[in-house]
Amino acid sequence: MVTAVPTAAPARPAAGPRFAALRHLGPNWYAAVMGTAVVANAGAALPVDVPGARTGATAVWALSFVMLVALLTARALHLTHHRDQARAHLADPAVAPFYGCLSMALLAVGGGTVLVGADWLGTTAAVAVDAVLFTAGTAVGLAAAVAVPYLMVVRHRVPPGSASPVWLLPVVAPMVSAALGPLLVPHLPPGQAQEALLLGCFALFGLSLLATLLMLPLIFGRLVHGDPLPLVLTPALFLVLGPLGQSTTAAGKFADVAPGVLPAPYDEGLAVFAVLFGVPVMGFALLWLALAAALVLRAWRRGMGFAMTWWAFTFPVGTCVTGAESLGTHTGLAAYDWLAVALYALLVAAWLAALARTVRGVADGRLLAPPR
């Protein structure tokens, strides 16, 4: 009688880490939310009447809201199951500044909720949602504005001459709070509450502006004295437009809500400031736009392909749209209205290109693959 000898079952392959596809999902992905939300926010104040534009802007805001919720969920899973990678991101001077994008994504979607989302949600619900997102976004932005420079000083090893436009991301986040905070001022009780929020936004304006003025000479010095930026990083040059356009927008928003909130002559003074500050800053923004576009064209001719840095073509340009819209309102010049329209057309084209390439990259897995 022959007894069968049992054979061992084939060994199962070791299971990979949970949610492995999210391991390399960095904070830079919030730029896609920012870039989508600004299309809606800028479209809400366009000085031309285009049939269906308001509905389209509201639909884009809804898309940005869904993207924000999905990305917050994905990032929460990333932080839970890939803590080592999350720590590595903070330790990487090329990645850590992108934590400012979380703040700006929260703020941009929150501002859009009041500007266009109220059409679907109602004013009360829209203000409540924006209050939550504005508070969270401002807190995250202030934390990033302190924590990231701190890490750059004490932990990161940054070689001389390696300054990057990405360094602006954590310090420009408070400027986004400054520009969108005034939307909530009319919904607060008159008196101390309104004045405190408005002057608090003005303080955030100064914080971000002075920090930006520290960074810009380093960035331009790197461009002049060093080699051109790597091809994949060249679109990041558009990030310089962010603090320029956003500060112009913020100055205009201060002037819009100051009457009845601040005593004379400060309310009238902010209206003067909006023009005297905004006009020269917008002029420099157009100069930088031309320089950055020329360098991007040079990189394109040398083989620049798609990367998530393409989202730098969206939000910064969107802030210039809102800045031009504000100057058109406060100066009465039609030239600024047409500038806003032209920049908005550029914004929409850039957004469609970045969105299409991002969807394709997620679908085929290239954008979630380990970096080469």
Side-chain angles (χ1 to χ4, degrees), residues 205 209 247-248 251-252 255 268-284 326-327 330-331 336:
F205 171 93
L209 180 64
S247 61
T248 303
E268 297 178 359
L270 284 177
V272 175
F273 176 74
V275 175
L276 295 184
F277 174 85
V279 170
V281 170
M282 183 57 65
F284 179 67
S326 175
L327 287 175
H330 288 282
T331 64
Y336 283 115

Side-chain angles (χ1 to χ4, degrees), residues 218-242:
L218 299 176
I219 295 169
F220 188 69
R222 185 255 173 93
L223 294 177
V224 173
H225 297 293
D227 295 328
L229 292 177
L231 297 183
V232 71
L233 191 59
T234 303
L237 289 169
F238 274 68
L239 295 176
V240 175
L241 297 174

Side-chain angles (χ1 to χ4, degrees), residues 96-97 141-156 167 170-171 211 215:
L142 288 172
V146 174
V148 174
Y150 174 83
L151 290 173
M152 293 175 70
V153 172
V154 303
R155 293 286 300 275
H156 299 161
W167 290 9
V171 299
M215 298 288 189

Side-chain angles (χ1 to χ4, degrees), residues 12 24 59 77 151 160 162 232 249 296 301-302 308:
R12 294 182 179 180
H24 300 284
L77 293 171
L151 290 173
S162 60
V232 71
T249 303
V296 166
R301 289 174 174 172
R302 285 162 171 76
M308 288 298 288

Side-chain angles (χ1 to χ4, degrees), residues 94-354:
V95 180
F98 283 100
Y99 276 92
C101 292
L102 168 58
S103 166
M104 292 184 278
L106 294 168
L107 292 165
V109 174
T113 306
V114 170
L115 290 170
V116 293
D119 293 353
W120 292 358
L121 301 178
T123 300
T124 302
V127 170
V129 170
D130 185 28
V132 172
L133 294 179
F134 174 79
T135 302
T138 301
V140 172
L142 288 172
V146 174
V148 174
Y150 174 83
L151 290 173
M152 293 175 70
V153 172
V154 303
R155 293 286 300 275
H156 299 161
R157 294 296 175 260
V158 182
S162 60
S164 165
V166 172
W167 290 9
L168 291 171
L169 291 172
V171 299
V172 78
M175 187 66 79
V176 181
S177 293
L180 294 175
L183 294 174
L184 292 172
V185 169
H187 302 284
L188 292 175
Q192 289 285 317
Q194 290 186 340
E195 186 173 353
L197 178 56
L198 179 55
L199 291 182
C201 289
F202 203 11
L204 293 171
F205 171 93
L207 179 161
S208 180
L209 180 64
L210 294 176
T212 298
L213 293 177
L214 288 176
M215 298 288 189
L216 286 181
L218 299 176
I219 295 169
F220 188 69
R222 185 255 173 93
L223 294 177
V224 173
H225 297 293
D227 295 328
L229 292 177
L231 297 183
V232 71
L233 191 59
T234 303
L237 289 169
F238 274 68
L239 295 176
V240 175
L241 297 174
L244 303 176
Q246 199 67 278
S247 61
T248 303
T249 303
K253 294 296 183 184
F254 299 155
D256 291 340
V257 302
V261 174
L262 296 181
Y266 303 112
D267 54 349
E268 297 178 359
L270 284 177
V272 175
F273 176 74
V275 175
L276 295 184
F277 174 85
V279 170
V281 170
M282 183 57 65
F284 179 67
L286 294 177
L287 170 65
W288 190 271
L289 175 62
L291 174 62
L295 290 171
V296 166
L297 180 60
R298 173 184 179 277
W300 177 264
R301 289 174 174 172
R302 285 162 171 76
M304 181 189 75
F306 174 74
M308 288 298 288
T309 49
W310 278 33
W311 284 99
F313 297 141
T314 57
F315 189 81
V317 174
T319 67
C320 292
V321 176
T322 56
E325 291 169 347
S326 175
L327 287 175
T329 299
H330 288 282
T331 64
L333 287 177
Y336 283 115
D337 293 340
W338 287 111
L339 175 61
V341 172
L343 290 174
Y344 190 73
L346 176 63
L347 168 63
V348 172
W351 173 67
L352 290 173

Side-chain angles (χ1 to χ4, degrees), residues 40-145:
N41 297 358
L46 277 179
V48 294
D49 186 14
V50 179
R54 179 80 180 186
T55 302
T58 308
V60 173
W61 161 80
L63 174 61
S64 72
F65 196 99
V66 172
M67 291 171 65
L68 176 63
V69 172
L71 191 52
L72 287 173
T73 303
R75 284 285 296 166
L77 293 171
H78 173 271
L79 293 173
T80 301
H81 298 282
H82 302 285
R83 294 180 183 177
D84 62 321
Q85 188 68 15
R87 287 192 294 267
H89 286 162
L90 280 174
D92 188 342
V95 180
F98 283 100
Y99 276 92
C101 292
L102 168 58
S103 166
M104 292 184 278
L106 294 168
L107 292 165
V109 174
T113 306
V114 170
L115 290 170
V116 293
D119 293 353
W120 292 358
L121 301 178
T123 300
T124 302
V127 170
V129 170
D130 185 28
V132 172
L133 294 179
F134 174 79
T135 302
T138 301
V140 172
L142 288 172

